[in-house]
């Protein structure tokens, strides 16, 4: 079901001949509350379970399908002037994703979620992309980006980054130690390192631009 819905969303976004906004609203509006429930139920799951130990297990594949759906929902957001809750939930409840990333799930899932967060911090509405503005003009997007930034900065201020592996081996963010038997050069996944750094920098940038007081900025 997750895969089918993601595939329909992707095909709709590719189709230049259909009124995409109308089709997306018709498809997603009845599922809005259901998808929010899915998000809560799936991401509040206990990922320490033995079902997630293998990157090839059915549970892991289901989670990958869900990430693909979240990615399609994010991409479809640009078509609607007023985004639905299911298109905003990734921003509004980013803490769920951040918790999953620091859990003991397979590295492939962590990487997909980190790259999805990178897409979130780089997301712009069509108007903002057209104007080239550094500041977000859409109130809902501004609110969502602030919620995402707050969630990221909150965990980064704790020890979250130290729990994030930078490869399928045992390299961790901020660690100068090479994994046993591995060359210290090139041991880390540079894609994940760049994505994580960008997520933190963008969250910091957005928070500073939207902070009311000097004390808050500091």
């Amino acid at each position: 079901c997750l895969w089918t819905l993601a595939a329909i969303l992707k095909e709709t976004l590719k189709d230049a001949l259909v009124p995409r906004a109308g089709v997306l609203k018709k498809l997603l509006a009845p599922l809005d509350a259901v998808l929010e429930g899915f998000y809560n139920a799936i991401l509040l799951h206990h990922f320490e379970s033995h079902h997630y130990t293998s990157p090839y297990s059915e549970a892991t594949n289901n989670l990958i399908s869900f990430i693909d759906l979240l990615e399609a929902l994010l991409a479809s957001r640009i078509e609607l002037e007023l985004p639905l809750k299911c298109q905003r939930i990734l921003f509004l409840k980013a803490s769920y994703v951040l918790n999953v990333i620091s859990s003991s799930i397979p590295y492939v899932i962590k990487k997909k979620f980190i790259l999805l967060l990178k897409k979130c911090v780089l997301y712009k509405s069509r108007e903002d992309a057209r104007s080239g503005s550094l500041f977000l003009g859409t109130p809902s997007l501004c609110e969502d980006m602030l919620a995402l930034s707050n969630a990221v900065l909150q965990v980064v201020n704790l020890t979250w980054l130290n729990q994030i592996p930078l490869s399928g081996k045992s390299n961790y963010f901020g660690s100068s130690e090479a994994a046993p038997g591995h060359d210290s050069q090139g041991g880390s996944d540079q894609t994940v390192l760049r994505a994580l750094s960008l997520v933190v920098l963008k969250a910091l940038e957005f928070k500073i631009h939207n902070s009311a007081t000097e004390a808050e900025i500091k």
Side-chain angles (χ1 to χ4, degrees):
C1 288
L2 293 171
W3 183 90
T4 303
L5 185 54
I8 292 169
L9 281 170
K10 287 173 187 174
E11 287 305 313
T12 305
L13 292 172
K14 282 183 199 169
D15 195 340
L17 301 175
V18 300
R20 288 191 288 250
V23 172
L24 289 168
K25 205 159 191 180
K26 198 172 180 180
L27 174 69
L28 294 175
L31 294 172
D32 207 18
V34 177
L35 290 172
E36 185 180 356
F38 264 19
Y39 186 91
N40 295 340
I42 291 174
L43 298 188
L44 280 178
H45 195 66
H46 293 293
F47 291 102
E48 280 65 33
S49 149
H50 68 280
H51 297 299
Y52 293 93
T53 49
S54 164
Y56 307 107
S57 69
E58 187 183 354
T60 303
N61 280 331
N62 289 341
L63 196 50
I64 287 173
S65 292
F66 188 60
I67 296 170
D68 290 341
L69 175 59
L70 289 175
E71 198 171 329
L73 286 168
L74 177 66
S76 71
R77 176 179 177 146
I78 202 164
E79 300 295 337
L80 299 185
E81 207 171 313
L82 289 171
L84 297 164
K85 188 74 179 282
C86 63
Q87 295 170 309
R88 301 181 63 192
I89 196 163
L90 194 54
F91 295 84
L92 299 175
K93 293 187 176 178
S95 59
Y96 290 23
V97 169
L98 297 167
N99 288 338
V100 174
I101 291 170
S102 61
S103 74
S104 58
I105 53 164
Y107 179 73
V108 63
I109 303 275
K110 293 176 189 268
K111 182 169 181 173
K112 279 185 81 73
F113 267 128
I114 288 166
L115 295 177
L116 182 57
L117 283 178
K118 176 189 161 186
K119 287 186 176 180
C120 286
V121 297
L122 293 176
Y123 180 83
K124 283 191 171 185
S125 69
R126 186 165 280 151
E127 293 70 31
D128 291 328
R130 206 177 285 138
S131 67
S133 169
L134 291 173
F135 303 98
L136 303 176
T138 320
S140 64
L141 182 54
C142 202
E143 182 189 329
D144 293 357
M145 208 64 89
L146 194 54
L148 174 63
S149 300
N150 284 334
V152 168
L153 295 176
Q154 200 170 357
V155 294
V156 167
N157 206 27
L158 302 170
T159 57
W160 184 79
L161 279 176
N162 299 335
Q163 299 168 48
I164 311 302
L166 290 179
S167 71
K169 307 292 185 285
S170 57
N171 291 10
Y172 283 78
F173 194 95
S175 167
S176 57
E177 294 176 23
H182 280 75
D183 183 2
S184 59
Q185 296 297 314
S188 300
D189 185 332
Q190 296 301 304
T191 304
V192 169
L193 181 58
R194 284 195 299 270
L196 266 176
S197 302
L198 186 66
V199 167
V200 176
L201 285 170
K202 280 293 194 184
L204 200 55
E205 178 189 39
F206 194 79
K207 181 69 177 169
I208 287 171
H209 280 311
N210 291 275
S211 292
T213 64
E214 191 72 26
E216 211 178 358
I217 291 172
K218 281 182 181 174

